[in-house]
C-alpha cells in the first residue's frame, strides 16, 4: 500500500444500494489555507502521524506501517499537492514532538471539520449498474450507510507507478508533435505536466 499506493480506483455495483460521500482533498486544503494559513502549514509541512495500523478486514497489505504526513506534496515542489492519506481504519497516532503536538492536533481536527461540511461533500446513492472511477490521491470517499442488502460489487485498483508511466508516455508523445527532443524523458512529472499545458492551452492552470 505504501510502496505502491493505489491512485485510480473503480467500483461497479451489482446489487443493493448505499449512500456514498465524496470530498475533494484540494478543495478542503484551499479552504483550510484561506481560513487558517498557520494550521494549513502545520498539516502540510509538519503534523507527522503513523499510518497503517492492523486492519484485518483488508488483509495482509495493511499490516504494514509507516510514519508520514496526511498531505504529500510533489518531490521538490513543497507547495504542490500530490496526494492525501486519510483513512479512519489505518491512521494511528500523531508523532509530533511534545512542544508541537497541540498545533498538530488542531491542524488535523480543522482538516476533518472542513471535510465534514455540507458545502464540501457530494453524496450519491450507488445502485446496481452504477460504476464509479476516481482519483484516489485527490478524492476522499466513504460509505455513509447501506440502504439495501445484500450490497455487492466488483472493484479494481491501479497503482501509482502504472498511472505515472502511462501518463508520462501519453504526454511525451503529445509534446513530440512540437518538441522532438530526447531530454523530454528526463523531465520531472510536474514540469512535464506544466509543459504539456503550455503547449496545448497556452497557460498553466
Amino acid at each position: 500500500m505504501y510502496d505502491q499506493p493505489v491512485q485510480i480506483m473503480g467500483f461497479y455495483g451489482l446489487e443493493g444500494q448505499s449512500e456514498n460521500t465524496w470530498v475533494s482533498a484540494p478543495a478542503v486544503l484551499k479552504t483550510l489555507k484561506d481560513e487558517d494559513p498557520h494550521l494549513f502549514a502545520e498539516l502540510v509541512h509538519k503534523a507527522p502521524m503513523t499510518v497503517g495500523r492492523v486492519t484485518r478486514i483488508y488483509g495482509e497489505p495493511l499490516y504494514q506501517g509507516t510514519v508520514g504526513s496526511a498531505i504529500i506534496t510533489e518531490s521538490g515542489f513543497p507547495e504542490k499537492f500530490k496526494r492525501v492519506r486519510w483513512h479512519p481504519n489505518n491512521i494511528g497516532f500523531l508523532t509530533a514532538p511534545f512542544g508541537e503536538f497541540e498545533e498538530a492536533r488542531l491542524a488535523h481536527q480543522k482538516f476533518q471539520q472542513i471535510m465534514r461540511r455540507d458545502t464540501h461533500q457530494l453524496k450519491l446513492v450507488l445502485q446496481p449498474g452504477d460504476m464509479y472511477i476516481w482519483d484516489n490521491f485527490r478524492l476522499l470517499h466513504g460509505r455513509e450507510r447501506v440502504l439495501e442488502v445484500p450490497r455487492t460489487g466488483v472493484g479494481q485498483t491501479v497503482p501509482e507507478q502504472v498511472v505515472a508511466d502511462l501518463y508520462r508516455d501519453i504526454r511525451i508523445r503529445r509534446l513530440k508533435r512540437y518538441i522532438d527532443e530526447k531530454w523530454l524523458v528526463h523531465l520531472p512529472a510536474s514540469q512535464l505536466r506544466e509543459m504539456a499545458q503550455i503547449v496545448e492551452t497556452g497557460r498553466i492552470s
Side-chain angles (χ1 to χ4, degrees):
M1 178 181 179
Y2 305 114
D3 292 336
Q4 290 290 321
V6 170
Q7 182 167 2
I8 302 298
M9 299 186 72
F11 186 85
Y12 178 77
L14 294 174
E15 55 183 344
Q17 295 184 5
S18 62
E19 182 183 277
N20 300 272
T21 299
W22 308 84
V23 177
S24 167
V28 174
L29 285 173
K30 182 180 184 305
T31 299
L32 176 59
K33 188 174 184 179
D34 291 343
E35 294 184 1
D36 198 321
H38 176 69
L39 289 184
F40 170 83
E42 284 288 329
L43 182 72
V44 174
H45 302 301
K46 298 181 181 179
M49 63 184 183
T50 58
V51 184
R53 297 184 296 176
V54 173
T55 310
R56 299 183 187 282
I57 60 173
Y58 288 111
E60 293 296 329
L62 289 195
Y63 278 51
Q64 305 178 55
T66 188
V67 174
S69 60
I71 306 303
I72 307 300
T73 58
E74 294 278 2
S75 178
F77 299 88
E79 299 304 318
K80 288 191 175 183
F81 172 86
K82 181 178 181 181
R83 70 175 184 261
V84 62
R85 293 192 293 192
W86 195 272
H87 195 306
N89 281 334
N90 56 42
I91 286 179
F93 303 98
L94 285 171
T95 58
F98 179 79
E100 301 173 7
F101 179 83
E102 185 62 21
E103 290 294 302
R105 183 179 67 85
L106 289 174
H108 275 246
Q109 286 181 332
K110 183 71 172 180
F111 183 68
Q112 187 161 343
Q113 183 264 324
I114 294 172
M115 77 171 72
R116 296 300 298 178
R117 295 177 186 174
D118 290 340
T119 54
H120 284 68
Q121 294 189 349
L122 172 66
K123 292 186 183 293
L124 299 172
V125 175
L126 175 67
Q127 305 185 59
D130 289 347
M131 181 171 67
Y132 297 160
I133 299 176
W134 66 95
D135 185 340
N136 194 48
F137 283 9
R138 302 177 69 83
L139 283 180
L140 297 157
H141 53 91
R143 184 174 64 249
E144 295 287 343
R145 54 188 176 134
V146 175
L147 304 174
E148 181 183 302
V149 294
R151 176 191 175 275
T152 58
V154 178
Q156 182 61 53
T157 61
V158 183
E160 175 185 22
Q161 194 59 54
V162 175
V163 176
D165 290 345
L166 181 59
Y167 177 87
R168 175 174 288 277
D169 180 61
I170 291 172
R171 286 303 189 192
I172 287 177
R173 281 192 281 114
R174 287 183 178 177
L175 282 171
K176 281 192 173 181
R177 299 173 188 171
Y178 311 95
I179 308 171
D180 189 16
E181 297 288 346
K182 294 182 179 179
W183 52 260
L184 286 173
V185 299
H186 301 295
L187 277 178
S190 57
Q191 291 182 343
L192 184 65
R193 185 183 306 117
E194 289 182 355
M195 182 174 286
Q197 288 178 345
I198 292 172
V199 169
E200 293 172 0
T201 68
R203 60 186 177 85
I204 299 177
S205 61

